[in-house]
Amino acid sequence: MSDTTPATVEPRGGPPEGQGPLGPRIQAFRRRAGLSQEAAASRAGISTRALRDIERGRAHRPRAGTLRGLAEPLGLSGDELADLLTAARTGPPGDTGRPRLLILGPLALRRGRTPVPVTGPMLRRLLGLLALRHPEPATQQEITDILWPSGPPHSHLSLIHTYVSQARRLLAPCGPRGAPQPTVARTPTGYRLEAPRNQIDLGHFDELLARAERLHRTPDPETRYASLTEALRCWRGPVLADADPVLRRHPAAVAAEERRVRAALLHADTALLLGRSGEAVQVLADLVNAEPLHEGLHARLILGLADSGEQAAALQVFTRLRVRLDEELGIEPGAEIREAHLRVLRRQLPGARRPDHRTATRGAPARSAPIRSAPTQSAPAHHAPADHRPVPGTPAPGTEIRRESAHPEPALPAGTHRTPAHPTPAHGTAVAGPPPAQLPAGARMHVGRRPQARVLDTLVATDPARRPHLAVVVGAPGVGKTALATHWAHARREHFADGQLFVDLRGHSRLPALRPADVLAQFLRALGAPPHALPENSANPGNPENPGNDDEAAALYRTLLADRRVLIVLDNARDAEQVRPLIPGAPGCAVVITSRSRLAGLVSADGARRIALDVLDPDEGCRLLGSIVGACNVAAEEEAARRLVELCGGLPLAIRIAGANLVARDTSIAHHCAELAGDDILGRLRIEGDGRSTVRSAFELSYRTLPDEARRMFRLLGQLPGPELTVDAAAALAGSTPAASAALLARLADAHLVREKAGRFALDVLLRSYARELIGADEAHTARRRLLLSPARGPVRRGTGPDNCSGS
């Protein structure tokens, strides 16, 4: 019978002292004697099963005769036997060890070394979800979806209360008196696991990884390596390895697996730097089985094996990966993996050019991108012929030749990349500092937009085939483009540990639009580029006498981002040309652009994922209103609330303004509806003293960017007798040809000022009110007369529902 004991209870460094559980101590004595369970049990005159039960803690008080029988085959001293007999008489000590919930592998709950059974699939799912979301709460809907993936029963709310009570009872006895007791607490939206972060193995891992990343640019790779080693020991397998697929595919579980890969990459780079590549090989070998197409992991495994003297095994790793990439994705290995393979072939191993780690002040490697990593930014290596012996004082083959500088820098192991804190090829030394975190505050309550958020989630997908690097969020003024982008960016910022960049490009603003050079200067400073390293025009973009070179600034920007995972949010873009220089080529970076224009050029030429936002439906609009005035007030006046959302046309900006005015005036929803239903609805949809919180101002910023003919067409469309019209009807309304009218309607649709569907065009209700404000009486009368007398008036479709615009 095999001797298998969980590694979590296996003593290290010999038998334990006379304390702790009895079973592991006996197991340690048996291993010291070099005996299997069968041999030890046979010599002691007991059954193998009895010894196994003792060692595994199922027999807490074995008989004294059994222990005396084990003394001779195990070679116990008199004191050791006396300690065991005392422990057997008193039973297991009260375990005051700290409770730990383990999810990095199969779910387990431990109190000290003692496992606490967690029975029942629903209870295990609930605890797993709460531990994944810790320290954030899990919403009621999230819990429901995890517990019942195929749909909840009618009594699901009562059942959730039951499972939460079971979890509380399970956690209540854990921990010593006076210590914080882990429990499940109720929140306004769901439930939260209340426990210190280090009492959950995922939280402990995250703390260790964060500590190692803070040490990334310090002269102490030993401490960084120790933190990474301890962090990776937290993993016993995939996250919640024994859970249902719906829980293992939870975004928090996927993100945790990504952080594990990130830790393994940094651990391998640091091991190569310190000359301990063999210690990283086993970690990498385990992970490449779970991530069979991850080139960063394979590159480091190849270098680690070669540095350990296993060149043949390293070459086999490359061959297997190349075949798999060809068969499954139809692509060739990337630059990083090819470089590692070439170094093995040329025997340019990391050990041949490893610096003294005590002086490697800035030798910490940067984290590589998941699938494709950019080539190293260092100068190309110069290689000597195979039969050439290096002259004393000259670099060895494969060593980089650098010019002497005032601040020499140690070489890095092969396969690693320099961060912007290191000298860049042409621009000097970047300034070390915290990663940029420029995201503005998001809305406290975000309603709806789940399908659009799922599309944005593809930017952080683990599958490289599904991971774009660019998404554009487009829609009408006030529809919530910036709110969605910032809300999603905050929710997924953990995927971009190297920072988040944000800029308002002022594409539709009363201020001048920002030029790409202006933004590049901001971003380069945020990424640590010192003033003397900036291209001339980027250092002083406002100087008209110094045009400089935008291409040089863009090239430096791409260089600094080559080995980083950074999120770039470009808000309020005017057109594609304004943002193209700001899109990096790094595979680890993601860009989210918001615009009132369609930005079709980015979709066709740059492979962007386009996300179009529409107005909210009545239910979503009521939830948004409830988040401002209170859900109870909306429930009390449900019909009035729906009428208010209808008057606002479902536009999030209008609903937020109406809700803020309701709170400020302390009036009823029905009374506010009566006010809005009168004349000048746009004049009432504003907040006094806040120029940005007006619907009319938002519309005006789009209207004034139009050419004169498009403005005229927009004004005339406000005279529609129904909600939709055709191109011929628009031509009759404007007194122009159908071709000219079609071009103007397309221009308005691109600016999201009209809605286009199946060859018909329409204005949303608030935009129609705005168009009617702009037109003069004579111009309106002439347009209506032209439409009345035109044969094209037939295709105009009259609405059957109420029109909230005054004068309809």
Side-chain angles (χ1 to χ4, degrees), residues 349-714:
L349 304 181
R353 58 191 218 104
R354 183 179 296 114
D356 182 356
H357 66 266
R358 292 172 297 180
T359 64
T361 303
R362 292 177 295 179
R367 179 176 53 78
S368 177
I371 292 296
R372 294 283 188 188
S373 293
T376 55
Q377 301 300 330
S378 55
H382 297 265
H383 310 299
D387 58 351
H388 176 71
R389 291 181 177 274
V391 179
T394 62
T399 305
E400 294 179 353
I401 298 175
R402 296 180 180 272
R403 296 183 182 273
E404 290 295 324
S405 66
H407 303 283
E409 181 175 310
L412 292 180
T416 63
H417 306 293
R418 298 193 183 278
T419 67
H422 307 306
T424 55
H427 298 289
T429 305
V431 179
Q438 299 181 348
L439 295 177
R444 180 182 63 85
M445 182 67 177
H446 191 75
V447 172
R449 311 305 193 196
R450 289 186 179 180
Q452 293 83 359
R454 284 196 292 269
V455 177
L456 285 173
D457 280 340
T458 60
L459 294 174
V460 295
T462 55
D463 183 0
R466 295 181 58 244
R467 189 195 304 127
H469 74 287
L470 176 61
V472 293
V473 182
V474 299
V479 82
K481 302 177 292 297
T482 302
L484 172 63
T486 54
H487 176 80
W488 179 87
H490 279 290
R492 299 292 181 263
R493 63 184 301 171
E494 63 183 13
H495 293 271
F496 304 96
D498 294 321
Q500 306 88 39
L501 298 171
F502 179 93
V503 66
D504 178 3
L505 296 174
R506 305 203 300 240
H508 296 83
S509 172
R510 300 188 186 281
L511 299 173
L514 292 181
R515 298 183 302 115
D518 302 328
V519 182
L520 286 171
Q522 297 179 24
F523 283 177
L524 289 173
R525 286 191 291 269
L527 292 170
H532 70 270
L534 298 178
E536 196 172 357
N537 67 315
S538 296
N540 189 12
N543 184 0
E545 299 179 358
N546 184 19
N549 188 343
D550 292 354
D551 292 340
E552 187 180 356
L556 176 58
Y557 170 68
R558 292 191 295 269
T559 298
L560 295 184
L561 290 177
D563 301 313
R564 295 190 180 189
R565 284 186 67 87
V566 175
L567 174 64
I568 301 104
V569 180
L570 307 175
D571 186 40
N572 195 9
R574 180 187 58 216
D575 52 33
E577 295 307 314
Q578 188 185 22
V579 298
R580 278 203 173 100
L582 308 176
I583 302 174
C589 295
V591 183
V592 178
I593 302 170
T594 72
S595 179
R596 300 185 183 189
S597 300
R598 289 178 175 177
L599 299 183
L602 293 179
V603 177
S604 62
D606 299 87
R609 297 291 298 271
R610 182 173 175 272
I611 304 168
L613 295 190
D614 203 346
V615 295
L616 300 177
D617 63 35
D619 291 334
E620 292 173 337
C622 286
R623 286 202 300 273
L624 178 59
L625 183 64
S627 71
I628 301 169
V629 305
C632 55
N633 293 325
V634 170
E637 296 184 81
E638 184 176 356
E639 289 300 322
R642 287 184 171 271
R643 174 59 177 160
L644 180 59
V645 170
E646 180 185 353
L647 289 170
C648 294
L651 192 69
L653 175 62
I655 296 172
R656 290 184 183 277
I657 292 173
N661 287 331
L662 272 170
V663 173
R665 298 173 186 174
D666 194 20
T667 185
S668 68
I669 300 177
H671 182 266
H672 196 48
C673 283
E675 292 180 341
L676 293 179
D679 293 336
D680 192 21
I681 182 173
L682 295 180
R684 290 179 171 84
L685 286 174
R686 62 189 302 270
I687 295 178
E688 199 67 38
D690 187 350
R692 297 181 61 183
S693 297
T694 68
V695 175
R696 180 186 284 117
S697 176
F699 291 166
E700 182 185 355
L701 293 175
S702 289
Y703 172 76
R704 67 186 193 141
T705 62
L706 299 172
D708 290 340
E709 286 301 314
R711 291 187 190 183
R712 176 175 176 269
M713 177 62 78
F714 175 74

Side-chain angles (χ1 to χ4, degrees), residues 19-36:
Q19 57 184 352
L22 186 64
R25 289 160 59 191
I26 292 176
Q27 181 192 65
F29 289 133
R30 174 178 60 76
R31 292 185 172 176
R32 181 185 66 181
L35 299 175
S36 65

